[in-house]
Amino acid sequence: MRRTAGSILATAVAVALLGMFPRAGQAAPLFGESEFALPNGLEVVVVPNHRAPNVTQMVWYKVGSADEERGWSGVAHFLEHLMFKGTKNLKPKEFSEIVARNGGQENAFTSWDYTAYYQTVASDRLPLVMKLEADRMHDLVITNEQLLPERQVILEEWRMRIGNVPSATLDQQIEAALYLNHPYRIPVLGWSEEMAKLDLAHERRFYDTWYAPNNAVLVIAGDVTVEAAKKLAQQYYGPIPRKAVPARLRPVEPQREANTTVELKSARVRNPVWSRVYLAPSYHSGETQYAYALEVLAEVLGGGANSRLHKALVIDQQIATGAGASYDPQRLDLGKFSYYVSPRVGTPIDAAAEAAEAVVAKTVAEGVTADEVERAKTRLKNEVLYANDSLSQPANVIGRALATGSSLADLDAWPDRIGAVTVDEVNAAAHAVLEGKTSVTARLLPAKPGAGGPEKPLPPQSLPEQIR
């Protein structure tokens, strides 16, 4: 199942300079996309969408915080900030000023496995933002005059998004407890103690090592033709030389031998939340044959008002304000499967937790039904249809897939693979991941018993996969 970027590039070189990849025999393009590669190794995907005269450009680098040197956490995210501080051709902040002056919107985000930058502009401004993005791909200027003040910005961001947000602080503890050795246990923003010492040398080395056309994916979605995008890509990104990029070597995650419980009490907590998290395979790591079935299982357990957890705990028993399940198969390495409950005022958190455990235990013991599986698969596939209504969502989906080891063929085949999941496969996946496996149990509590606020459902994973 694992199809690496290396295989994509190897195919690109074999096909020919700027040649289209062969798609014969594969599923139809999910978003009507086309792909090609530049001679310098840059993968390019174009998603024509002529509903409005706008276009989104996204550049995804196949590097994230999990690729940082130990002891220097936060380098990847900090570099994302520094990418807006000027190049040999642009003054600090001039990039953003030009985009804004031309009516565009822009941002960037970092995850464990990738870093991405994007702009949405009128389609006649596409050449402009491609020129800007290509410029900072190879001509970034980093100085202490820019770095030192920005370091205070990311530390303030840490205080706002982690230090002052109990659920985010607890999420950090959950990741650190779940992954014993893998760098997914280290926050994307970094540990604040290490962020405070990030310096010019480490930021420069990270940029020089990982930012290269042959380690990036360019996705252009919107009012543009493939031919026009190909010409522009060659014009602006084509001259950037490829460079030697190291393999992404990640530590092996050892076998977990014990359950772990983490608990955080804070006066800032209004809604207590209980959750349980398991290591799980992804599309690319572990027992990958369960990945699609786990997507369906998460939907059966926690996908909306008719899911097992929500119906049992929120509607029938009326002991919770929220309950659900979550599974993300797109991490480059091992992922996680979780479920949670947020009890109503007056319901002890232990009682809510026992009720949630009972729902999951019954699911594992007795299995899911054919009707549940079919409805879950339909809901999942409908999400693709909804994504097609968006200008930027297909670019986001494609970029994330290609940056985490999938291919467009994998993406295009996703509806068929989800559609082929059987009841037996869902039940087997539930046994494989949830039955008798070690886990991390988390409790987020008010500082004083009974000090909870107005009932409002809260998701357990408030720390997003992507940090902007």
Side-chain angles (χ1 to χ4, degrees):
M1 168 61 200
R2 183 166 183 157
R3 295 168 175 81
T4 65
S7 69
I8 296 171
L9 296 179
T11 305
V13 172
V15 170
L17 303 182
L18 289 178
M20 301 295 294
F21 285 98
R23 302 292 292 276
Q26 298 176 352
L30 196 57
F31 300 110
E33 74 276 4
S34 297
E35 64 177 338
F36 56 90
L38 300 187
N40 61 9
L42 179 68
E43 299 173 56
V44 186
V45 182
V46 184
V47 188
N49 180 342
H50 303 289
R51 295 180 185 178
N54 300 320
V55 65
T56 292
Q57 172 187 232
M58 301 191 80
V59 171
W60 295 72
Y61 292 97
K62 298 174 185 177
V63 64
S65 65
D67 301 297
E68 297 166 342
E69 294 178 44
R70 286 293 176 96
W72 295 92
S73 63
V75 165
H77 173 254
F78 193 14
L79 179 58
E80 176 211 307
H81 278 238
L82 297 174
M83 286 284 283
F84 293 87
K85 296 303 180 183
T87 68
K88 294 178 182 177
N89 303 303
L90 293 176
K91 299 176 183 177
K93 301 182 181 179
E94 193 174 359
F95 186 110
S96 297
E97 291 170 355
I98 292 174
V99 173
R101 198 160 57 238
N102 283 274
Q105 296 179 330
E106 55 151 1
N107 213 324
F109 48 83
T110 305
S111 181
W112 283 280
D113 293 324
Y114 52 79
T115 308
Y117 303 83
Y118 67 90
Q119 306 85 36
T120 297
V121 294
S123 52
D124 63 353
R125 301 296 194 274
L126 178 60
L128 172 65
V129 294
M130 291 180 76
K131 179 181 179 181
L132 294 172
E133 197 64 78
D135 179 44
R136 66 179 176 181
M137 180 180 279
H138 69 115
D139 272 341
L140 183 69
V141 172
I142 309 175
T143 67
N144 272 328
E145 287 72 23
Q146 301 297 327
L147 181 144
L148 296 177
E150 196 65 21
R151 193 168 65 188
Q152 297 306 311
V153 171
I154 61 169
L155 286 168
E156 178 59 24
E157 181 179 353
W158 182 91
R159 285 187 283 271
M160 291 178 59
R161 304 185 66 166
I162 307 295
N164 292 330
V165 182
S167 58
T169 301
L170 182 60
D171 283 339
Q172 284 196 346
Q173 302 300 311
I174 293 172
E175 297 285 346
L178 184 66
Y179 295 95
L180 301 175
N181 190 46
H182 193 281
Y184 288 160
R185 71 192 314 275
I186 300 173
V188 173
L189 275 178
W191 299 115
S192 59
E193 294 81 359
E194 293 181 349
M195 293 167 63
K197 67 173 185 178
L198 293 177
D199 60 18
L200 188 60
H202 284 83
E203 295 301 331
R204 187 75 223 182
R205 183 157 67 241
F206 197 82
Y207 175 79
D208 289 341
T209 300
W210 297 105
Y211 279 51
N214 49 309
N215 197 42
V217 179
L218 168 65
V219 187
I220 300 172
D223 186 25
V224 63
T225 65
V226 175
E227 292 73 21
K230 185 182 295 184
K231 183 179 179 181
L232 291 170
Q234 178 59 43
Q235 178 180 351
Y236 294 113
Y237 291 94
I240 304 173
R242 67 163 59 226
K243 66 172 74 167
V245 177
R248 306 176 78 177
L249 301 177
R250 303 281 182 79
V252 175
E253 183 64 16
Q255 180 73 31
R256 288 183 58 85
E257 301 293 347
N259 292 317
T260 306
T261 298
V262 294
E263 180 176 292
L264 188 149
K265 293 182 179 179
S266 171
R268 295 175 183 270
V269 173
R270 307 295 294 172
N271 301 78
V273 180
W274 177 96
S275 63
R276 177 160 292 163
V277 188
Y278 298 83
L279 283 177
S282 69
Y283 287 149
H284 314 290
S285 183
E287 297 178 292
T288 57
Q289 71 272 24
Y290 296 126
Y292 295 96
L294 286 172
E295 288 185 81
V296 176
L297 175 63
E299 190 69 19
V300 170
L301 281 174
N306 291 321
S307 67
R308 287 196 174 199
L309 284 164
H310 185 92
K311 185 174 184 305
L313 307 182
V314 179
I315 298 175
D316 294 343
Q317 300 178 39
Q318 298 187 11
I319 61 172
T321 59
S326 174
Y327 169 62
D328 182 358
Q330 282 201 296
R331 286 191 175 185
L332 190 60
D333 298 306
L334 284 177
K336 58 186 180 180
F337 190 103
S338 64
Y339 63 98
Y340 77 97
V341 59
S342 182
R344 296 187 64 161
V345 172
T347 300
I349 193 168
D350 289 339
E354 290 175 7
E357 289 176 297
V359 171
V360 174
K362 182 178 180 180
T363 302
V364 174
E366 300 179 3
V368 298
T369 68
D371 180 61
E372 287 177 316
V373 169
E374 288 307 311
R375 284 189 283 116
K377 292 192 296 188
T378 298
R379 288 195 298 272
L380 288 169
K381 289 190 288 186
N382 283 344
E383 292 178 6
V384 175
L385 300 178
Y386 301 147
N388 263 314
D389 289 334
S390 165
L391 178 69
S392 60
Q393 189 62 15
N396 204 330
V397 172
I398 291 169
R400 189 181 182 207
L402 297 186
T404 54
S406 293
S407 66
L408 282 185
D410 291 327
L411 189 65
D412 296 339
W414 184 85
D416 290 339
R417 292 173 182 175
I418 285 293
V421 171
T422 67
V423 170
D424 288 343
E425 288 171 343
V426 175
N427 291 333
H431 282 285
V433 174
L434 304 177
E435 187 176 37
K437 297 296 190 293
T438 59
S439 62
V440 176
T441 300
R443 295 156 56 93
L444 181 66
L445 301 168
K448 297 180 180 179
E455 294 183 344
K456 180 181 177 182
L458 282 177
Q461 307 290 337
S462 61
L463 188 64
E465 179 90 6
Q466 301 169 344
I467 298 293
R468 295 179 187 275

